[in-house]
Amino acid sequence: MKNFVLKYILLVLIAVLQGCNLFSPVDPLPPAFSKLELVDVKRNEITVSGTISNPDADNDRQEKKSGEIQEYGIVYGTTPNLDIEKNSIRKLGDKPSSLPIAVQNQKLTGLTADTQYYIALYARNEGGGIGYSEVLNVKTTVLPAIAATRTSVKITRSGAVWYDFDAGRVAAVGDPQADVTIDWFSITGRGTSISITAIGGVALKNLGATTYDKLTYLDLVKIPDYSNANVSYLLTSTTTNSVIAFKTKEGRFGKWRIESITGNDMVMSLIAYEN
């Protein structure tokens, strides 16, 4: 009988303690994150992926007090101590329809070349405030990758040639990806005349006879007076190896050299850089 009373008292004490825990205050938790992953890095752009989810609460009360996610996105800057109140952000959404939130291949654009950036996911919920993922540390490149390169390629004319700078290829007539049409014809007593018509929003700059190999990407970016006007000139001993700088409608800078024309054959070189 005595043992029964002791066991009963012990059970009552346990129940009382559990009741106290049931009504004791709980701390809300901020959102949870996966590791932020680097997908790609370019001169002015960084692409990242990651996941945002609700915190791993200890019980239903803590989960309820933490509340639902109200806003989420990416925060970034050139110092490691990121804060959405002080640094640049890219807001991706408000209340998500489902969890976890897959942040896939999100691009940060308009960045500075050759610069160290610190990047994190952020999210704000109702009770736990703002949470941040682990900080990703990545440096933008000095120069962009080359999108297309052609060296001394022969093009045969059959009517006007439509050409796509972005892909470095001859395009079909009427192709919306084409940037220029090229035509050449002989003028008796003068030589070969080249007519280049800008189409599709491309901008050109005839640099004349210049050293193609020494013309850098930064030189192309600094040209102030690209124009949609057509370019025409005679191919003579003084204009051989004339270089035309361009900026395509996709935003790619590049350089294009017409080396020679013999009959219906043109020899040309081209480099188009990624954005």
Side-chain angles (χ1 to χ4, degrees), residues 255-275:
K255 55 183 180 179
W256 177 38
R257 175 178 62 176
I258 297 174
E259 300 171 25
S260 64
I261 295 178
T262 305
N264 287 327
D265 294 327
M266 169 190 287
V267 178
M268 53 148 285
S269 295
L270 173 142
I271 292 179
Y273 295 93
E274 288 287 4
N275 295 343

Side-chain angles (χ1 to χ4, degrees), residues 4-18:
F4 175 79
V5 172
L6 289 174
K7 289 180 180 180
Y8 177 77
I9 293 173
L10 182 60
L11 289 172
V12 170
L13 288 173
I14 292 173
V16 170
L17 291 174
Q18 287 179 340

Side-chain angles (χ1 to χ4, degrees), residues 35-53:
K35 182 179 180 181
L36 187 61
E37 296 182 356
L38 176 65
V39 177
D40 192 20
V41 56
K42 296 179 180 178
R43 182 176 179 272
N44 302 115
E45 179 181 286
I46 296 173
T47 306
V48 296
S49 289
T51 303
I52 304 171
S53 58

Side-chain angles (χ1 to χ4, degrees), residues 26-32 53-59 61-69 123-131:
V26 294
D27 294 325
L29 299 173
S53 58
N54 278 332
D56 186 13
D58 291 333
N59 51 57
R61 289 196 305 126
Q62 190 172 50
E63 181 178 356
K64 184 176 181 180
K65 191 164 185 178
S66 299
E68 297 181 352
I69 291 175
R124 177 177 61 83
N125 61 13
E126 293 173 302
I130 297 171

Side-chain angles (χ1 to χ4, degrees), residues 33 39 49 66 145 152 171 177 210 216 218 223 226 238 240-241:
F33 305 87
V39 177
S49 289
S66 299
S152 297
Q177 297 303 314
T210 189
T216 68
L218 294 179
I223 293 173
Y226 282 99
T238 58
T240 298
N241 292 326

